[in-house]
Structures are given as C-alpha cells and as structure tokens.
C-alpha cells in the first residue's frame, strides 16, 4: 500500500527491548511501521547504559528510511525515561526526526546508569567523545532516587547545567512531552516545562504539547490504555502516582499521542 510513517521506539533503563517491544506493538497496530530498538543489555551491545554512541540511533534511522513501504519524510521517535532522553538528543541532532513523543523526559543528559557500580561515565557519546552530562549527587537510600536527581540539578553549577542541556531548539520535530507530578525517579514535569519554555523562546516552528498529570508517576505512556487491575500495576506504582492517577494518565495520553 501507500508508504507508512515510521517510528523508532526506545525503552528506558529497564534494559534491552522489553518495554520498547510492547510499545512498538501497540503503535504498529495503529498503522505505523515500527522498530523497537535495544541499545544496551542485549548480545552485541553494551552491558550497562553507559557510553552509548548516538551514532547507533542515527544508523537505526538510516535503516528505517531504507525499508520498503516506509515514507522517509515521516519518521518519528517514541521514548520513555532514558529512552526519552535519547529521543530528544537524537531529534536535536538529526532533522529527519519529524515527531517525538517523550514520556517522562529530562532536559539534560545524565551520568550513566551502571547497576554494577557507581561509574562516573556518560550515558552517551558522540564522535567518540562524551556527551556532556550532569553528575549524580550522593545517593541517600532513605531519601530515594527523586531526591538524588533533584539535588543533582540544584547543586550543579549553571555552566554544567547548560553544557548538559539537550539543545531541543535545534530539532525540526513536533514534540509531545508527557509527565507525572508524583514521579518518584526524577522531575519530569519540571523538565517538560523547561523544554517547552526553551522551544517557545526559540520560536520553534513545530507543535509543542505538554501533558502533565498531577497524580501520575514515572509511567505515563504505554502505547495503550491501562486498567486499574492490570498486573503491571504492581511494578508501576513503586515509581510514583496513585492507582487512579496512573490509569487516568496512561489512558488519556495514548489517544492524544496518536492525534
């Protein structure tokens, strides 16, 4: 049939392609060509989410654009959490990205996520060099991850924050940012507001939308609706939000993202 719009789908720090496969299936059912892309934790890839070359995602865009039945002028990226970080970094560097859905985004690049230790290394590289990143403040298990991320932003010198900022104003994408006000991991609502303000100040020519849900947490997008008794809720609620708030956010964001 007619060439389809295509979506590169990126999961977060849970590893590999588990979440991206589920999201890609939901998007594919709506008529999109989709590529669920693992970027660590699988054979042939880095074991941890550290020093991932941004060129890897560019190669994925190149591959998508060559596929029969894909319209290379209509390629978007959907990402959640660290996948949203990657999606915005990619859109800021590759103007072929025409749309981004960034669920629980950050407006800066962060230190790597190394589950085996505390590695002061970047999450991402470009041309073999580190992408500038914010370092984590000391982690207090009693306070939790959100406190660590908030402190990391607050304590970073202004020059370090600016160096690590994702230059979203360089993108040519329509951008949707989805965030929950009770996010237990990082301040995605505040990051979304900063991104939107940056794009507005730059006179961004494409649509920018922010969906903010006060009673939701870190999970706000699943490429489907969500029921209160879904078995996944037991994994979702520790990341913030009320049961009703998460259900409402996920179910509301899905059709709005498609639109």
């Amino acid at each position: 049939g007619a060439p389809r719009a295509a979506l590169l789908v990126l999961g977060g720090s849970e590893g590999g392609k588990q979440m991206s496969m589920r999201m890609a299936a939901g998007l594919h059912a709506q008529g999109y060509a989709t590529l669920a892309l693992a970027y660590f934790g699988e054979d042939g890839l880095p074991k941890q989410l550290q020093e991932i070359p941004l060129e890897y995602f560019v190669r994925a865009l190149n591959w998508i654009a060559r596929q029969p039945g894909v319209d290379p002028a209509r390629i978007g990226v959907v990402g959640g959490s660290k996948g949203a970080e990657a999606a915005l970094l990619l859109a800021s560097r590759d103007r072929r990205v025409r749309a981004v859905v960034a669920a629980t985004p950050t407006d800066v690049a962060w230190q790597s996520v190394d589950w085996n230790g505390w590695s002061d290394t970047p999450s991402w590289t470009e041309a073999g060099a580190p992408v500038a990143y914010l370092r984590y403040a000391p982690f207090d298990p009693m306070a939790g991850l959100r406190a660590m991320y908030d402190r990391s932003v607050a304590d970073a010198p202004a020059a370090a924050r600016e160096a690590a900022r994702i230059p979203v104003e360089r993108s040519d994408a329509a951008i949707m940012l989805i965030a929950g006000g009770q996010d237990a991991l990082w301040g995605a609502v505040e990051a979304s507001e900063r991104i939107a303000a940056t794009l507005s100040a730059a006179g961004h020519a494409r649509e920018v939308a922010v969906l903010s849900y006060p009673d939701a947490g870190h999970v706000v997008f699943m490429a489907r609706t969500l029921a209160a008794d879904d078995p996944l809720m037991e994994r979702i609620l520790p990341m913030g939000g009320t049961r009703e708030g998460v259900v409402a956010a996920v179910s509301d964001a899905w059709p709005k993202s498609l639109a």
Side-chain angles (χ1 to χ4, degrees):
R4 295 185 181 195
L7 298 171
L8 175 63
V9 186
L10 307 172
S13 59
E14 77 282 348
K17 57 193 178 192
Q18 303 162 25
M19 183 58 73
S20 62
M21 288 284 282
R22 288 194 286 267
M23 291 195 298
L27 291 159
H28 177 70
Q30 298 295 321
Y32 292 96
T34 57
L35 172 62
L37 186 71
Y39 51 99
F40 74 104
E42 298 284 342
D43 290 345
L45 296 174
K47 298 301 181 186
Q48 303 289 339
L49 205 173
Q50 58 186 150
E51 299 181 315
I52 310 297
L54 293 181
E55 290 85 353
Y56 176 71
F57 302 106
V58 174
R59 288 201 300 275
L61 293 184
N62 295 341
W63 186 88
I64 290 170
R66 292 196 304 267
Q67 298 314 299
V70 164
D71 181 352
R74 292 190 295 152
I75 297 176
V77 186
V78 177
S81 192
K82 289 295 287 190
E85 185 179 330
L88 292 169
L89 283 165
L90 181 60
S92 74
R93 287 159 166 81
D94 196 316
R95 294 175 69 84
R96 290 177 297 176
V97 177
R98 300 292 291 159
V100 174
V101 172
T104 55
T106 171
D107 61 324
V108 296
W110 283 100
Q111 184 177 332
S112 64
V113 178
D114 180 359
W115 297 109
N116 293 331
W118 192 270
S119 299
D120 188 2
T121 55
S123 292
W124 323 101
T125 66
E126 186 173 26
V131 171
Y133 61 98
L134 283 193
R135 290 174 167 83
Y136 301 135
F139 175 58
D140 178 358
M142 297 297 291
L145 280 171
R146 174 64 186 268
M148 183 195 76
Y149 275 104
D150 287 349
R151 208 162 52 248
S152 300
V153 172
D155 293 350
R161 290 199 303 272
E162 179 58 26
R165 187 182 65 82
I166 300 172
V168 288
E169 67 277 7
R170 298 180 188 170
S171 77
D172 193 31
I175 296 176
M176 174 168 278
L177 308 156
I178 312 173
Q182 296 184 27
D183 193 324
L185 276 73
W186 63 20
V189 168
E190 294 81 1
S192 297
E193 292 170 348
R194 289 192 293 267
I195 291 168
T198 295
L199 292 169
S200 177
H204 191 65
R206 306 291 307 286
E207 182 183 4
V208 178
V210 177
L211 303 181
S212 180
Y213 301 99
D215 297 324
H218 196 67
V219 176
V220 288
F221 182 82
M222 298 180 67
R224 62 177 176 88
T225 57
L226 182 68
D229 59 353
D230 191 301
L232 280 175
M233 289 296 294
E234 301 314 311
R235 295 171 57 188
I236 291 172
L237 290 176
M239 291 183 279
T242 66
R243 186 177 297 268
E244 296 77 13
V246 171
V247 168
V250 169
S251 299
D252 185 70
W254 173 225
K256 288 180 178 177
S257 301
L258 291 174

